[in-house]
């Protein structure tokens, strides 16, 4: 994700801090496939998927 | 817990789409058509400035005691038979400022001013009950229901949310902001809290009619009942959120919701093998469960029971459940989802009534206001042995 605004830059830094030590990057949110239950990668995937679904809730 | 990763993904989604992500599908409050919208500043009563408005019509800006006149004009009255007035504010700063001016003029000669002061006192109290509809703190509700493409620090400021929902500054934007975050079907599990709003408003009105000072310290039994009611409200609020289909997914990552395959069943119990070890359900916890995954909650028949025992085996958490009616139990091989059972309103009400009776009994040491003295008596040996074993 490119840094366009100070808000984007702050979020990018925050993401690095949260993901530190997991071996993951912000790009891994869109990962697909079966990931181990309870892993950071699976939590990222779940959050992203629910955000997509939530957008449909708002649209309704 | 993995909730920080879950939330981060939602922040990144919001940043990519430029839209906030809704975390709770159902509405957490109902915006009253006669809601009183206020922006107030300064903690010094003499210099408090507030702008008071309604859904329609012009807003009025007032200073000092005139703030209370403006609130009374907008509908801040104590009428035992009437609807409780709803206050809409951007954040707690406005309520703090109103509290300051209300405190300073609580004994004012004008009944209208005193009533408006007492209404603020009631608002201050109700603001401590999560899920109450008496005071709508837009910042708090926005953070509960939405997540944005920004850091948590940025989301702690009202200005951030005003920009997110593109609402104008001042009181004029409060109604639009409130409308932006209150769409959808209200969570029905919050209904008891709205009933509490009406009940406590009526009590406040009666106290005002009896010319009692709302700032006077409450007697200890009344304070104890207030604490109990706040705890009940917090429990109800947590349970209401878990009834929401989107929040339930997040709750997997805080350990409040779990699930797994049923691996064992007997006449009295069955065991669920949960893949995550971080579930918060402990032995003795009352649970509600259903067959299938998280999204099956609305379609499946729910069952209630208790966690009898928890253990870890081969990297999985085994939850042994009891007191689930035989005809509702999932069978081995099926998937079951589990979360804490919501408080039963009838049980809560009965528990509170019993607590009230205990508090107000003449021999209650809380009612008497003095701690009980030490009394010595012979203790049976069995009791001593049991205590020693416990230690």
């Amino acid at each position: 994700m490119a840094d366009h605004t100070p808000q984007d830059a702050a979020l990018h830094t925050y993401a690095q801090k949260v993901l530190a030590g997991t071996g993951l990057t912000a790009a891994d949110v869109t990962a697909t496939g079966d990931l181990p239950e309870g892993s950071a990668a699976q939590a990222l995937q779940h959050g992203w998927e629910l955000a997509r679904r939530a957008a449909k809730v708002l649209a309704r | 817990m993995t909730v920080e990763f879950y939330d981060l993904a939602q922040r990144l989604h919001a940043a990519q789409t430029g839209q906030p992500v809704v975390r709770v599908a159902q509405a957490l409050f109902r915006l009253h058509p006669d809601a009183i919208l206020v922006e107030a500043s300064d903690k010094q009563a003499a210099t408090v400035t507030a702008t008071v408005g309604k859904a329609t019509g012009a807003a009025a800006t007032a200073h000092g005691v005139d703030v209370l006149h403006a609130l009374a004009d907008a509908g801040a009255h104590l009428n035992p038979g009437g609807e409780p007035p709803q206050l809409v504010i951007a954040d707690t700063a406005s309520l703090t400022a109103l509290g300051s001016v209300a405190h300073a003029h609580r004994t004012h000669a004008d009944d209208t001013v005193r009533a408006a002061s007492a209404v603020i006192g009631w608002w201050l109290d109700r603001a401590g009950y999560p899920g109450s509809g008496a005071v709508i703190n837009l910042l708090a509700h926005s953070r509960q229901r939405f997540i944005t493409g920004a850091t948590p620090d940025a989301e702690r400021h009202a200005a951030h949310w005003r920009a997110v929902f593109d609402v104008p500054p001042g009181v004029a934007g409060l109604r639009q902001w409130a409308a932006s975050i209150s769409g959808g079907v209200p969570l029905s599990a919050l209904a008891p809290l709205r009933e509490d709003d009406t009940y406590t408003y009526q009590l406040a009105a009666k106290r005002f009619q009896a010319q009692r000072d709302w700032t006077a310290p409450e007697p200890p039994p009344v304070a104890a009942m207030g604490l109990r009611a706040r705890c009940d409200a917090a429990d109800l609020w947590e349970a209401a959120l878990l009834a929401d289909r989107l929040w339930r997914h997040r709750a997997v990552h805080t350990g409040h919701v779990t699930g797994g395959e049923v691996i064992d069943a007997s006449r009295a119990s069955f065991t669920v093998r949960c893949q995550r070890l971080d579930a918060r359900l402990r032995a003795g916890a009352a649970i509600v469960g259903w067959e299938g995954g998280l999204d099956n909650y609305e379609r499946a028949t729910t069952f209630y029971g208790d966690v009898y025992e928890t253990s870890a085996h081969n990297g999985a958490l085994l939850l042994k459940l009891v007191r689930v009616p035989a005809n509702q139990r999932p069978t081995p091989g099926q998937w079951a989802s589990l979360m804490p059972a919501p408080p039963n309103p009838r049980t809560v009400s009965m528990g509170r009534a019993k607590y009230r009776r205990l508090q107000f009994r003449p021999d209650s040491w809380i009612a008497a206001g003095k701690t009980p003295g030490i009394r010595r008596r012979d203790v049976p040996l069995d009791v001593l042995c049991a205590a020693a074993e416990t230690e």
Side-chain angles (χ1 to χ4, degrees):
Chain A
M1 261 167 241
D3 295 342
H4 298 299
T5 66
Q7 185 169 298
D8 287 339
L11 181 61
H12 186 71
T13 306
Y14 174 74
Q16 281 182 327
K17 211 183 290 180
V18 171
L19 296 172
T22 63
L24 299 167
T25 69
D28 290 312
V29 289
T30 53
T32 53
D34 282 344
L35 296 164
E37 188 74 33
S39 66
Q42 190 262 347
L44 276 180
Q45 184 192 50
H46 192 196
W48 184 267
E49 172 57 24
L50 257 290
R52 285 196 327 114
R53 277 174 55 179
K56 291 173 194 160
V57 169
L58 271 191
R60 280 205 296 270
Chain B
M1 301 298 159
T2 48
V3 72
E4 223 177 343
F5 304 113
Y6 180 92
D7 284 349
L8 173 63
Q10 301 214 320
R11 290 184 191 286
L12 294 168
H13 191 278
Q16 190 188 70
T17 60
Q19 293 294 323
V21 171
V22 64
R23 309 203 290 175
V24 182
Q26 290 185 257
L28 297 172
F29 67 91
R30 280 193 292 208
L31 184 60
H32 197 281
D34 283 331
I36 302 171
L37 317 168
V38 175
E39 270 216 340
S41 58
D42 207 330
K43 288 181 183 171
Q44 301 300 316
T47 51
V48 165
T49 300
T51 305
V52 181
K54 304 276 285 198
T56 54
T61 298
H63 311 277
V65 69
D66 287 339
V67 171
L68 298 175
H69 284 294
L71 282 170
D73 290 345
H77 309 134
L78 279 170
N79 173 9
E83 282 265 302
Q86 185 182 56
L87 174 71
V88 177
I89 49 176
D91 53 29
T92 51
S94 286
L95 190 57
T96 305
L98 289 183
S100 170
V101 77
H103 204 275
H105 300 288
R106 66 192 186 281
T107 56
H108 198 276
D110 186 338
D111 273 0
T112 315
V113 169
R114 274 203 327 277
S117 161
V119 169
I120 294 171
W122 176 72
W123 281 333
L124 284 165
D125 181 54
R126 293 307 293 170
Y129 291 77
S132 160
V135 177
I136 304 302
N137 177 336
L138 296 174
L139 173 62
H141 274 289
S142 298
R143 294 187 67 199
Q144 179 69 57
R145 200 170 178 206
F146 292 89
I147 196 162
T148 65
T151 62
D153 281 345
E155 288 181 348
R156 291 191 183 102
H157 303 282
H160 171 75
W161 292 98
R162 282 185 184 272
V164 166
F165 294 116
D166 194 22
V167 295
V171 161
L174 293 183
R175 184 164 180 86
Q176 193 182 323
W177 182 0
S180 300
I181 62 172
S182 60
V185 180
L187 268 175
S188 57
L190 293 175
L193 289 168
R194 285 195 289 273
E195 287 164 16
D196 268 2
D197 285 340
T198 305
Y199 175 69
T200 56
Y201 171 73
Q202 287 164 354
L203 286 183
K206 284 178 189 163
R207 280 199 297 271
F208 178 72
Q209 283 181 336
Q211 300 195 323
R212 287 178 38 199
D213 179 2
W214 66 268
T215 63
E218 291 171 327
V222 174
M225 287 306 302
L227 184 60
R228 169 80 181 234
R230 275 182 172 82
C231 293
D232 289 343
D235 290 344
L236 202 68
W237 171 250
E238 294 293 329
L241 287 174
L242 289 178
D244 183 84
R245 63 186 187 276
L246 292 180
W247 190 260
R248 211 161 40 239
H249 277 271
R250 185 179 185 271
V252 169
H253 299 278
T254 56
H256 289 92
V257 177
T258 189
E261 188 186 340
V262 177
I263 56 164
D264 181 29
S266 68
R267 284 181 61 188
S269 67
F270 64 95
T271 302
V272 180
R273 185 181 187 278
C274 305
Q275 288 168 309
R276 294 181 65 124
L277 282 165
D278 56 359
R280 290 173 186 255
L281 296 173
R282 299 283 179 267
I287 56 98
V288 58
W290 63 96
E291 281 177 24
L294 298 185
D295 293 324
N296 215 32
Y297 176 79
E298 276 87 6
R299 291 185 291 272
T301 305
T302 51
F303 57 82
Y304 290 83
D306 293 331
V307 178
Y308 178 72
E309 192 177 72
T310 66
S311 57
H313 181 70
N314 283 345
L317 176 69
L318 304 185
L319 296 178
K320 187 174 182 180
L321 305 177
V322 293
R323 293 163 56 93
V324 178
N327 61 341
Q328 295 175 0
R329 283 184 213 153
T331 51
Q334 283 187 314
W335 189 275
S337 297
L338 306 168
M339 63 185 190
N344 180 333
R346 194 154 167 259
T347 311
V348 170
S349 171
M350 283 166 59
R352 219 188 280 184
K354 188 179 170 195
Y355 192 63
R356 184 179 293 115
R357 278 199 303 277
L358 288 172
Q359 294 297 338
F360 288 92
R361 263 169 36 172
D363 59 341
S364 156
W365 65 265
I366 292 181
K370 53 186 179 188
T371 46
I374 297 171
R375 276 185 289 179
R376 298 185 187 282
R377 52 157 292 176
D378 291 335
V379 180
L381 184 61
D382 285 350
V383 174
L384 276 177
C385 290
E389 281 170 6
T390 309
E391 287 298 309

